[in-house]
Amino acid sequence: MEIKFIENVNKKVKPEASTLGFGKFFTDHMAQITWSQEKGWHNPRIVPFENLSIHPASTVLHYGAEIFEGLKAYRRKDGGVQLFRPMENIKRLNASAERLCLPTINEDLALELLTEFVKVEQAWTPYQEGTSLYLRPFLFGNDETLGVHSVHNAELIIIASPVGSYYKEGINPVKIMIEDEDVRAVRGGTGFAKCGGNYAASTRAGKRAEDKGYAQVLWLDGVERKYIEEVGAMNVMFKINGTIVTPMLSGSILPGITRKSCIEVLKSKGFKVEERLLSIDELKNAMASGALEEAFGCGTAAVVSPIGELCYQGVKYEVGGGKIGEVTQMLYDTLTGIQWGKVEDTFGWTYKI
Ligand code: PLP
Ligand code: COI
């Protein structure tokens, strides 16, 4: 399908790398493709970044028919730009779409739109260490009716934002609060899908944690509030007595691409990795006995983020002496090395633009 290009003649001034933060600045263009039940996906286009105009009854505004993805374009040390496992994001977008009865998209078409867009915006990929161009595809139902049905019209849009680190702590350990009141998702619900509603449901607990000085919450399962699930914007891993333990994909947590990549790196280096149920009691015991050696989160925005303190029911547990652990550092170095093209990609994960 031919992608139409309308150039933005009013280019913005690019921000200083030191002011980036996360998701505050946006590039000059956005990519868009429209879907209708009659025509399927049509009219792929890259157009000037601008406000959207949608009908006040649009499905997304009332019933939350929205899913999204997050991936990054990295500036290689040879000056080129590359993506990290983009097909994984496209496959997950389609898995989310199926769960929310939104239209799925041909994987090759989605990859073509994404890569053409990154080509147009590649000058926005910052050069400074630790920075990247965050890409945010999102897909929403756009019927002009208040009836609750599967949608007949939808839009897929990709926007891009030059970013620095997600947490103000950067690679320094973050403090995480274990939430025992609100729940994020239940099996059979939408926990495994990357839909906006999951984040809306998470905000109250996240705010309570932030008000107490914690970066994010660690969720427990929605039924028994007993098993560890994931953090607000990342999956979570623990090193307990030398073994890496991470919650299994039970349907209520996001199947993170960074999580999958960490597991593959760990296994390739001979670490024992267990994907299984991990109860809060087991974690509490491991924290109290010193068996918990490291804890870290992993995600596209957060990269690999050491956890230096966990708080559960008012009791604070320091993890790893509040410092980044060896395995956490190794994963950070390996993944960021591959992503920024500084170390050889023996896994075949990078996709040059
Ligand atoms: N879990 C949640 C709730 C997230 O928002 C994210 C971020 O995308 C992740 C996990 C990590 O997923 P990924 O590594 O694919 O970015
Ligand atoms: C990502 O890591 O890409 C995410 O989507 C996290 C986000 C909610 C900030």
Side-chain angles (χ1 to χ4, degrees), residues 89-126:
N89 291 90
I90 291 169
K91 286 183 196 297
R92 189 171 62 189
L93 182 79
N94 278 336
S96 301
E98 264 180 28
R99 177 62 185 84
L100 273 86
C101 260
L102 287 164
T104 56
I105 182 165
N106 174 285
E107 292 173 359
D108 294 329
L109 173 59
L111 187 63
E112 192 188 344
L113 185 63
L114 178 70
T115 46
E116 283 307 308
F117 176 55
V118 177
K119 266 185 209 159
V120 168
E121 297 298 62
Q122 58 181 307
W124 280 88
T125 312

Side-chain angles (χ1 to χ4, degrees), residues 181-220:
E181 196 182 329
D182 288 359
V183 298
R184 173 185 176 273
V186 290
R187 264 159 259 165
T190 57
F192 69 90
K194 204 160 167 58
C195 62
N198 290 342
Y199 297 80
S202 306
T203 311
R204 183 170 75 171
K207 181 175 183 314
R208 280 196 301 244
E210 272 176 23
D211 288 347
K212 291 188 177 148
Y214 289 83
Q216 281 186 6
V217 304
L218 174 59
W219 296 105
L220 299 178

Side-chain angles (χ1 to χ4, degrees), residues 22 68-71 92 134 136 166 194 199 232-233 299-302:
F22 185 83
F68 66 96
E69 271 305 322
L71 71 163
R92 189 171 62 189
Y134 184 76
R136 170 54 65 86
Y166 185 71
K194 204 160 167 58
Y199 297 80
T300 300

Side-chain angles (χ1 to χ4, degrees), residues 66-349:
E66 191 265 355
I67 57 174
F68 66 96
E69 271 305 322
L71 71 163
K72 285 171 170 173
Y74 303 87
R75 180 69 66 187
R76 294 169 48 86
K77 69 172 188 231
D78 64 10
V81 167
Q82 65 187 19
L83 304 176
F84 183 73
R85 310 188 85 174
M87 220 20 143
E88 294 287 333
N89 291 90
I90 291 169
K91 286 183 196 297
R92 189 171 62 189
L93 182 79
N94 278 336
S96 301
E98 264 180 28
R99 177 62 185 84
L100 273 86
C101 260
L102 287 164
T104 56
I105 182 165
N106 174 285
E107 292 173 359
D108 294 329
L109 173 59
L111 187 63
E112 192 188 344
L113 185 63
L114 178 70
T115 46
E116 283 307 308
F117 176 55
V118 177
K119 266 185 209 159
V120 168
E121 297 298 62
Q122 58 181 307
W124 280 88
T125 312
Y127 285 81
Q128 189 154 318
E129 172 131 21
T131 61
S132 54
L133 184 64
Y134 184 76
L135 304 164
R136 170 54 65 86
F138 59 107
L139 198 176
F140 59 94
N142 194 25
D143 286 348
E144 300 177 357
T145 166
L146 295 178
V148 182
H149 304 289
S150 65
V151 301
H152 296 92
N153 295 277
E155 299 288 339
L156 169 61
I157 301 178
I158 312 173
I159 54 176
S161 171
V163 297
S165 73
Y166 185 71
Y167 295 114
K168 66 173 177 8
E169 290 86 349
I171 178 69
N172 296 318
V174 292
K175 291 174 17 174
I176 299 287
M177 168 98 100
I178 302 175
E179 172 66 28
D180 62 352
E181 196 182 329
D182 288 359
V183 298
R184 173 185 176 273
V186 290
R187 264 159 259 165
T190 57
F192 69 90
K194 204 160 167 58
C195 62
N198 290 342
Y199 297 80
S202 306
T203 311
R204 183 170 75 171
K207 181 175 183 314
R208 280 196 301 244
E210 272 176 23
D211 288 347
K212 291 188 177 148
Y214 289 83
Q216 281 186 6
V217 304
L218 174 59
W219 296 105
L220 299 178
D221 77 276
V223 179
E224 298 180 72
R225 290 183 179 71
K226 180 173 170 192
Y227 297 103
I228 305 292
E229 296 236 300
E230 64 181 326
V231 178
M234 47 189 195
N235 294 109
V236 68
M237 299 197 178
F238 303 92
K239 182 165 170 248
I240 303 175
N241 281 331
T243 297
I244 310 299
V245 182
T246 191
M248 62 199 224
L249 299 179
S250 57
S252 54
I253 68 172
L254 194 77
I257 295 157
T258 320
R259 172 189 182 279
K260 183 174 176 176
S261 307
C262 285
I263 292 172
E264 289 173 48
V265 168
L266 286 163
K267 288 190 173 166
S268 77
K269 294 193 184 282
F271 284 91
K272 192 168 162 221
V273 182
E274 292 176 357
E275 295 178 65
R276 62 169 169 87
L277 288 175
L278 171 64
S279 72
I280 181 66
D281 288 338
E282 181 182 346
L283 186 64
K284 254 180 12 184
N285 290 339
M287 291 192 287
S289 70
L292 179 69
E293 294 155 349
E294 299 184 35
F296 58 94
C298 53
T300 300
V303 197
V304 172
S305 189
I307 297 172
E309 182 188 313
L310 283 163
C311 178
Y312 180 59
Q313 296 184 329
V315 183
K316 295 176 181 174
Y317 300 86
E318 195 188 60
V319 184
K323 297 199 184 71
I324 184 165
E326 252 173 57
V327 173
T328 311
Q329 185 75 56
M330 179 280 288
L331 283 170
Y332 180 86
D333 293 342
T334 308
L335 284 186
T336 57
I338 293 173
Q339 288 165 338
W340 273 274
K342 289 185 277 187
V343 305
E344 194 197 346
D345 173 16
T346 52
F347 297 93
W349 287 338

